[in-house]
Every structure is written in C-alpha cells, then in structure tokens.
Amino acid sequence: YHQEIHHVNQAMPSPQDYVQSHTHLVAEMNIIIGESLIYNILLGDKTHEVSSPATIYIPPKLAHLSNVIRRNGLFVCVILADTCRTYDLKG
C-alpha cells in the first residue's frame, strides 16, 4: 500500500485548492482525524463537505480531489496497491 499522512493545522496558509481532480486505477481511502478538520471532497461530479472523524472510500477510476476548508488534525491517504499511477484530469 502507498500511504501519506498530512498534519493539517491552523498555522498553514488560508484554504486553497492544492489538489487537481485525478483518478487512480486502484481504490483509495481517505481518513480524516481531528477535532475540527473539514474537507471538500469531490467524488465524480458531486462535492461533499466532510468533517472529522470520517473515512472516505474512493473506487478505482473515479475522478476525485480533496481540499481542506478548516484545519486541525490529520489527513491520511491510503492507495490500495503496491504501486500507483495518478492521472491528472485538468484540461
């Protein structure tokens, strides 16, 4: 599995879109942990505002992105494969 853990806190710059919509050929799990962590999660063509604690399952080949709204906690991304290729859907 490929894992990333992001410590998100109030000291970071104001909210911004830092991830572009993309897909993977394998499934992904996003885990949002903390007292006041909120993300906009785009799954396909629907945007969801997700508050911690939460777990989001992203099926293979589904366009998605995750951008922070309010900060204080951990954002864990787990790609469910030994290797992973990302396909940027911008433009």
Side-chain angles (χ1 to χ4, degrees), residues 16-55:
Q16 58 184 333
D17 292 344
Y18 58 89
V19 175
Q20 298 296 320
S21 183
H22 61 280
T23 65
H24 306 282
L25 296 177
V26 297
E28 177 178 331
M29 296 286 289
N30 292 163
I31 304 165
I32 300 172
I33 305 166
E35 294 180 19
S36 60
L37 190 57
I38 301 174
Y39 267 77
N40 266 339
I41 307 287
L42 176 71
L43 300 173
D45 60 357
K46 295 185 180 178
T47 301
H48 308 271
E49 188 172 293
V50 180
S51 301
S52 58
T55 301

